[in-house]
């Protein structure tokens, strides 16, 4: 319906402007704190020993341990009136993974089925269930009755204490690893039918939540034994090691909040929840190693990290003298569906977690190169000018992005035909240089009866509904908007079809997608999001799945790109909202950061935390989305951003233009050099993405992941590892002349820029120049580079490689290289090259890592290795012998970096020209 009343149009426009202004910056009172969130307030108020549950009827059923949890009154008698029995199921999977489920008993006719999050656990994991045949019993400590013991692996057992109710895992020596309800804080508020007099409504500011089934929260304590620190539970702009939020000496603090929100200009060093939620926590300690806990629950969650002594007055004596870190987990709704991971190493825990939720999707090669974005590039002429300026200034890039202004009135899948009259031609021009384009597609659909997408969704009943059963109507960028109900597979399939070339008119095969605002953001909703009592398919309340809405939207969009290309090419979709499993569908970024040093600093622990929780493909907006960065900050951000897994420059439309050539010749040179470093390292990054794809181990890693026994690394989140070979130390302050850099381990490190050698296990005070941030290659590693620079990564695929061999004290090193076609799924059928390079006893050997069972499709390449750099080699040899060809090649002094002729000379095997796909040996003579 067209609006004919100009006064009404003005009033609605004014309302929208007011709503927009309320979210344009951080406003604390726009968002609820724990005290204003009843389930959090109740959960924090409970004292140790609150839980009165005991386990009854423990048995083996369908390969699982099952039990009933029954409430016990003060006289130690069963009290059926306090709480209807709950059903507990304990399952065991390969690799010693334990799954614990607790839900209402369906035979007692609850008002509805509580929501269990679908489509997160991968099918391969379900098939790894171990069918329990029996359980044993044991009396623990001074308990009055027995506990049930379940075999997990040769190293671990699960224990279900019957009275008091507790679940924990212990190692073969009887030491606890992870426990649930050791402090008796478990509580499970059961669904109820509303009766006369019940007032369950909750109010925040001007919003009312109807809560038709009453309070339904769940809370419990989880303890990690022999832990020095805990990590994880993104997304928060805070330190990598999670700080205590309660306990003696802890300043008044909010819990860590997991509730996906659209937060403009978020503040750093805060437990406040941002755009994503992954309820997975890891612990790490020198004596125990690493363990993990994951709660598959998509409702709002609040998590306290409890400081030492928090329970000093409880009077509870835990049945263990082990040191531990206690945490309190509180969720508004859902069920208990928890996974325990025993490690024992950091990479083991990540591998175990990603065996449940999936590993990182193998990206297209272009997508791990540099991306250029702005809200908004104005028109086709602007796009063409930006593209040509990159070429003129010899700066490679692979992707140019268009924000919401490219559409026709914020109608997604459309183009503003005045500003972008020839979108296919625009994309083809970029594609001709090996470049790509990304356009934005958000979940809010403009409520315009002439808009085909809205018309279809309305007719088919595909929108989320409000509490009264009508299509939910909220405000976002287009004004009045509705949101597809992505919980339902049929609707996700319908959405995916919209990315076909026939439906998305003006799109081409070189166009990829950006999902923003998918928390979902609703400008006039409570806390700038959808009301909790909105309704999804099957009567699911939005409160139950809120944190997974963006995940399902991301999933549907990725499937759309797969469909449009007959599932032959890998999709690229960037998402802002995240949940467990997001890594299977694409990349994420850390949202609307600001152009200041603190935001640069916090970007590192944010990206590291995402990697620890499965999401390897992440990065922060280089330069900061809001504000105008000072030049030194912008340069430093490019220098560290070149090592993010996802590398994109992006800025708000109110900022000054900040393409790298706009700041004078010297600053352009510095930013160009940072981008060149990324392009040189693309083979190394691509190999790391393959590792993440196969094992779950992240591309960038905390130092302690590679040095798990080095206590100095446990709290260090200023430096990070890229794979196992490179250490990068950020510069987070202006006018810095010196930096203290801790280089862990017993082996040496080589300056990545100069080749200068530094001792390991020592903190070095280093001179810092404007040219680069400190970066080092670990002795004993081999890194593969491509040192010729072209317009884009696509144009580099046939260029030769350089091997940089950093020798350790034994004059040995090794590394890997993975290559495929960079775009298709043929690698799944074995179409790839995977080599291991080993240098020992004066000889470099290339081994084939591709198993014979990999598949019947082969990938061939004639690309050669044109330089081999030897750092730390003790010999004065002049020649090397290549076998089996029996060719001799020269060993000379050459530059560490071809582009930097002023740098120091290093020992170089010149032009061996061995094919990267072949087996060969190069022996130093």
């Amino acid at each position: 319906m067209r609006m004919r009343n100009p006064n009404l149009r003005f009033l609605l426009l004014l309302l929208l402007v007011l709503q927009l202004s309320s979210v344009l910056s951080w406003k604390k009172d726009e968002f609820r704190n724990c005290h204003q969130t009843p389930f959090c307030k109740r959960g924090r108020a409970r004292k140790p020993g609150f839980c009165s549950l005991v386990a009854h009827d423990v048995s083996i059923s369908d390969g699982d341990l099952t039990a009933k949890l029954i409430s016990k009154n003060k006289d130690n008698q069963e009290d059926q009136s306090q709480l209807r029995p709950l059903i507990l199921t304990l399952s065991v999977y390969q690799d010693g993974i334990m799954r614990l489920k607790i839900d209402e008993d369906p035979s007692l006719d609850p008002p509805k089925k509580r929501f269990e999050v679908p489509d997160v656990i991968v099918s391969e994991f379900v098939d790894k269930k171990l069918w329990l045949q029996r359980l044993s019993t044991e009396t623990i400590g001074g308990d009055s009755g027995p506990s049930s013991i379940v075999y997990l692996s040769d190293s671990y057992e699960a224990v279900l204490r019957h009275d008091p109710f507790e679940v924990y895992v212990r190692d073969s020596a009887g030491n606890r690893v992870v426990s649930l309800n050791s402090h008796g804080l478990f509580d499970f508020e059961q669904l109820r039918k509303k009766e006369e007099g019940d007032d369950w409504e909750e109010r925040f500011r001007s919003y009312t939540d109807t809560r038709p089934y009453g309070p339904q929260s769940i809370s419990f304590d989880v303890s990690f034994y022999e832990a020095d620190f805990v990590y994880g539970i993104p997304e928060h702009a805070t330190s990598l090691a999670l700080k205590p939020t309660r306990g003696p000496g802890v300043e008044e603090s909010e819990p860590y909040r997991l509730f996906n929100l659209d937060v403009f200009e978020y503040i750093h060093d805060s437990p406040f929840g941002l755009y994503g939620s992954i309820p997975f926590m890891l612990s790490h300690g020198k004596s125990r190693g690493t363990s993990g806990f994951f709660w598959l629950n998509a409702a709002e969650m609040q998590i306290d990290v409890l400081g030492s002594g928090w329970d000093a007055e409880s009077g509870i004596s835990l049945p263990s003298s082990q040191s531990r870190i206690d945490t309190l987990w509180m969720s508004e709704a859902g069920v208990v569906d928890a996974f325990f991971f025993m490690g024992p190493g950091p990479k083991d825990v990540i591998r175990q977690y990603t065996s449940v939720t999936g590993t990182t999707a193998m990206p297209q090669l272009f997508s791990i190169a540099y991306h250029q974005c702005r809200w908004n590039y104005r028109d086709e002429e602007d796009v063409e000018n930006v593209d040509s300026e990159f070429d003129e200034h010899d700066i490679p890039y692979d992707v140019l992005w268009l924000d919401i202004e490219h559409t026709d009135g914020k109608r997604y899948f459309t183009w503003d035909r005045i500003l972008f009259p020839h979108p296919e031609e625009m994309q083809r021009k970029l594609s001709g240089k090996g470049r790509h384009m990304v356009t934005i597609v958000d979940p809010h659909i403009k409520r315009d009866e002439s808009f085909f997408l809205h018309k279809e969704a309305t007719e088919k009943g595909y929108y989320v509904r409000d509490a009264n059963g009508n299509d939910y109507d909220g405000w976002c960028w287009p004004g009045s908007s509705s949101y597809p109900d992505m919980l339902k597979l049929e609707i996700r399939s319908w959405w995916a079809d919209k990315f076909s070339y026939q439906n998305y008119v003006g799109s081409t095969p070189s166009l990829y997608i950006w999902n923003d605002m998918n928390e979902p953001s609703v400008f006039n909703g409570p806390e700038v999001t959808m009301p909790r009592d909105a309704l999804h398919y099957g009567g699911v309340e939005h409160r139950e799945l809120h944190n997974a809405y963006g995940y399902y939207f991301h999933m549907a969009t990725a499937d759309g790109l797969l469909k449009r290309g007959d599932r032959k090419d890998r999709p690229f979709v960037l998402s802002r909202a995240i949940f467990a499993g997001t890594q299977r569908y694409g990349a994420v970024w850390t949202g609307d950061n600001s152009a200041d040093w603190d935001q640069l600093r916090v970007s590192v622990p944010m990206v590291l935390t995402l990697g620890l929780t499965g999401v390897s493909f992440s990065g922060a907006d280089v330069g900061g989305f809001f504000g105008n960065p000072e030049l030194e900050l912008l340069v430093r951000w490019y220098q560290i951003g070149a090592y993010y897994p996802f590398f994109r420059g992006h800025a708000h439309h109110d900022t000054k233009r900040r393409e790298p050539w706009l700041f004078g010749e010297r600053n352009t040179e510095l930013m160009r050099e940072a981008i060149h470093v990324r392009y040189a390292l693309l083979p190394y990054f691509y190999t790391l993405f393959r590792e993440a794809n196969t094992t779950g181990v992240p591309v960038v890693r905390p130092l302690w992941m590679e040095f798990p026994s080095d206590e100095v690394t446990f709290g260090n989140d200023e430096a990070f590892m890229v794979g196992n070979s490179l250490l990068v130390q950020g510069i987070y302050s202006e006018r810095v002349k010196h930096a203290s850099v801790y280089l862990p381990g017993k082996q040496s490190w080589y300056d990545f820029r100069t080749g200068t050698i530094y001792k390991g296990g020592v903190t070095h005070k280093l001179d810092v120049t404007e040219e680069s941030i400190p970066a080092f290659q670990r002795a004993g590693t081999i890194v593969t580079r491509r040192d010729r620079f072209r317009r884009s990564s696509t144009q580099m695929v046939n260029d030769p490689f350089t091997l940089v061999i950093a020798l350790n004290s034994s004059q040995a090193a090794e590394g890997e290289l993975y290559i495929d076609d960079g775009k298709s799924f043929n690698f799944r059928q074995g179409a790839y090259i995977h080599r291991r390079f080993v240098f020992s006893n004066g000889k470099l050997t290339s081994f084939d890592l591709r198993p014979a069972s990999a598949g019947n499709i082969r990938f061939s390449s004639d690309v050669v290795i044109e330089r081999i750099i030897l750092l730390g080699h003790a010999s004065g040899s002049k020649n090397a012998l290549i076998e089996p060809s029996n060719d001799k090649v020269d060993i000379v002094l050459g530059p560490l970096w071809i582009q930097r002729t002023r740098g120091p000379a290093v020992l170089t095997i010149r032009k061996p020209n061995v094919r990267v796909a072949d087996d060969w040996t190069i022996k130093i003579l």
Side-chain angles (χ1 to χ4, degrees), residues 626-854:
F626 287 103
N628 297 305
E630 56 192 81
L631 289 183
E632 186 181 0
L633 171 61
L634 182 60
V635 168
R636 292 301 191 202
W637 214 319
Y638 267 97
Q639 289 170 344
I640 205 166
Y643 297 99
Y644 293 154
F646 174 61
F647 183 23
R648 180 182 76 157
H650 184 37
H652 190 276
H653 60 62
D654 287 340
T655 66
K656 298 176 182 177
R657 296 289 286 255
R658 63 167 85 141
E659 287 76 27
W661 53 85
L662 295 176
F663 304 97
E665 185 176 343
R666 178 55 177 163
N667 289 301
T668 298
E669 180 183 359
L670 293 172
M671 286 182 271
R672 179 196 299 116
E673 176 62 26
I675 295 171
H676 277 175
V677 167
R678 176 49 163 255
Y679 277 79
L681 288 174
L682 284 178
Y684 180 64
F685 269 91
Y686 198 64
T687 301
L688 293 175
F689 270 101
R690 177 57 171 168
E691 183 181 359
N693 172 249
T694 54
T695 69
V697 175
V699 173
V700 296
R701 308 162 186 178
L703 301 185
W704 55 262
M705 180 170 282
E706 293 297 329
F707 302 90
S709 298
D710 190 337
E711 294 177 88
V712 180
T713 68
F714 293 177
N716 186 339
D717 58 11
E718 291 195 348
F720 57 93
M721 296 294 297
V722 181
N724 71 342
S725 303
L726 300 181
L727 183 150
V728 178
Q729 168 76 48
I731 298 297
Y732 308 111
S733 304
E734 57 186 338
R735 293 187 292 276
V736 168
K737 301 299 182 184
H738 306 281
S740 293
V741 182
Y742 178 68
L743 298 177
K746 298 179 180 179
Q747 293 291 339
S748 298
W749 296 79
Y750 297 87
D751 187 287
F752 192 54
R753 183 180 179 85
T754 66
T756 304
I757 192 167
Y758 292 91
K759 185 179 179 181
V762 175
T763 298
H764 298 270
K765 185 177 181 180
L766 304 174
D767 293 337
V768 174
T769 69
E770 65 178 0
E771 293 181 336
S772 65
I773 58 175
F776 305 85
Q777 183 172 344
R778 183 182 183 178
T781 65
I782 301 175
V783 169
T784 309
R785 301 190 321 223
R786 270 191 163 124
D787 289 348
R788 300 183 187 180
F789 302 117
R790 304 192 187 277
R791 290 173 170 177
S792 64
S793 66
T794 312
Q795 295 187 342
M796 296 169 63
V797 294
N798 294 317
D799 287 344
F801 293 103
T802 294
L803 298 185
V804 183
I805 302 176
L807 295 171
N808 61 19
S809 58
S810 301
Q811 291 285 283
E814 63 179 58
E816 294 183 12
L817 173 64
Y818 174 85
I819 311 170
D820 60 25
D821 64 19
K823 57 183 179 180
S824 79
F825 290 100
N826 290 342
F827 69 94
R828 293 178 176 173
Q829 284 76 49
Y832 60 84
I833 295 168
H834 193 184
R835 310 298 299 186
R836 172 173 286 138
F837 304 116
V838 176
F839 188 96
S840 64
N841 300 318
K843 185 169 61 177
L844 175 64
T845 306
S846 176
F847 297 96
D848 188 2
L849 289 181
R850 181 185 179 276
S853 59

Side-chain angles (χ1 to χ4, degrees), residues 229-373:
F229 292 98
V230 288
Y231 311 88
I233 58 170
E235 186 176 30
H236 306 94
T238 188
S239 60
L240 178 65
L242 299 173
K243 302 172 184 176
T245 56
R246 286 175 61 191
V250 178
E251 295 183 10
E252 183 176 348
S253 172
E254 288 289 305
Y256 288 97
R257 188 185 192 193
L258 295 181
F259 190 61
N260 294 9
L261 291 170
D262 177 1
V263 186
F264 278 50
E265 286 189 279
Y266 57 81
I267 57 174
H268 74 284
D269 197 22
S270 168
F272 187 81
L274 298 178
Y275 312 93
S277 300
I278 301 179
F280 171 44
M281 184 180 287
L282 307 87
S283 74
H284 185 71
K286 183 176 181 179
S287 58
R288 162 64 190 94
T290 313
S291 58
F293 178 82
F294 168 51
W295 185 5
L296 179 54
N297 187 317
E300 178 180 357
M301 203 175 289
Q302 303 266 359
I303 302 172
D304 268 319
V305 177
L306 303 169
S308 179
W310 72 275
D311 60 341
E313 299 177 0
S314 69
I316 289 182
S317 178
L318 289 181
S320 173
S321 60
Q322 294 175 258
S323 63
R324 66 186 189 277
I325 294 179
D326 299 322
T327 59
L328 174 61
W329 299 60
M330 303 166 279
S331 180
E332 183 182 14
V335 300
V336 176
D337 191 359
F339 297 78
F340 297 70
F341 308 108
M342 300 304 106
K347 295 179 183 179
D348 297 317
V349 170
I350 304 300
R351 176 175 46 79
Q352 290 159 358
Y353 167 73
T354 55
S355 75
V356 176
T357 63
T359 59
T360 295
M362 190 64 195
Q364 288 206 39
L365 177 61
F366 82 82
S367 67
I368 69 170
Y370 177 63
H371 300 243
Q372 182 66 37
C373 184

Side-chain angles (χ1 to χ4, degrees), residues 19-239:
Q19 293 292 343
L20 288 176
S21 66
S22 72
V23 297
L24 285 178
S25 62
W26 167 264
K27 292 189 176 181
K28 190 173 182 180
D29 61 355
E30 293 284 343
F31 305 101
R32 302 205 301 185
N33 58 35
C34 179
H35 188 76
Q36 296 167 318
T37 307
F39 82 85
C40 183
K41 184 178 179 181
R42 292 194 301 273
R44 268 190 155 186
R46 297 185 184 110
K47 303 298 183 184
F50 170 86
C51 178
S52 62
L53 296 175
V54 295
H56 278 253
D57 301 335
V58 181
S59 64
I60 298 292
S61 176
D62 292 329
D64 298 322
L65 180 154
T66 62
K68 285 187 177 180
L69 298 180
I70 297 174
S71 182
K72 182 177 65 175
N73 62 23
K74 293 181 181 179
D75 298 323
N76 211 35
Q77 302 295 316
E78 295 178 18
D79 187 351
Q80 298 280 359
S81 64
Q82 288 190 12
L83 184 73
R84 293 176 296 178
L86 300 170
I87 300 298
L88 176 150
T89 306
L90 191 154
S91 307
V92 178
Y93 295 81
Q94 293 177 20
D95 210 7
I97 297 171
M98 184 179 79
R99 184 179 188 180
L100 176 68
K101 296 187 73 173
I102 302 175
D103 196 358
E104 300 194 43
D105 188 341
S107 69
L108 299 179
D109 193 29
K112 74 165 191 170
K113 186 180 185 303
R114 297 177 78 109
F115 181 64
E116 297 183 44
V117 187
D119 303 309
V120 169
I121 299 173
V122 296
S123 59
E124 297 88 341
F125 176 76
V126 177
D127 296 337
K128 294 178 180 177
K129 177 181 170 180
L130 302 180
W131 286 68
L132 300 177
Q133 303 298 321
R134 62 182 178 84
L135 53 84
S136 57
T137 59
E138 176 186 325
T139 301
I140 305 291
D143 289 358
S144 59
S147 296
S148 297
I149 313 298
V150 172
Y151 171 88
L152 293 183
S153 69
D154 290 344
S155 302
Y156 301 102
E157 292 177 323
V159 179
L160 169 62
R161 289 180 79 198
H162 298 184
D163 184 9
F165 160 61
E166 181 189 14
V167 176
Y168 65 89
V169 176
R170 66 186 184 189
D171 63 20
S172 54
N175 297 311
R176 290 170 171 239
V177 182
V178 182
S179 68
L180 184 145
N181 202 38
S182 298
H183 293 275
L185 290 172
F186 185 92
D187 187 62
F188 195 113
E189 296 179 329
Q190 298 184 355
L191 302 175
R192 289 180 285 166
K193 295 179 180 177
K194 198 163 190 176
E195 298 178 357
E196 188 175 350
D198 287 334
D199 182 13
W200 294 336
E201 292 184 346
E202 292 182 2
R203 297 166 182 82
F204 174 69
R205 303 187 74 194
S206 61
Y207 304 100
T208 299
D209 177 4
T210 59
R211 305 197 61 82
Y213 299 99
Q216 51 183 289
S217 70
I218 301 171
S219 58
F220 49 75
D221 55 279
V222 176
S223 297
F224 300 90
Y225 294 83
E226 307 298 342
D228 294 322
F229 292 98
V230 288
Y231 311 88
I233 58 170
E235 186 176 30
H236 306 94
T238 188
S239 60

Side-chain angles (χ1 to χ4, degrees), residues 596-631:
D596 62 60
W597 289 96
D598 287 334
Q599 291 280 336
L600 171 62
R601 169 69 183 84
V602 83
S603 72
V604 170
M606 291 179 78
V607 169
L608 290 174
T609 300
L610 287 167
L612 284 175
T613 53
V615 185
S616 273
F617 201 178
S618 70
D621 282 344
V622 170
F625 178 64
F626 287 103
N628 297 305
E630 56 192 81
L631 289 183

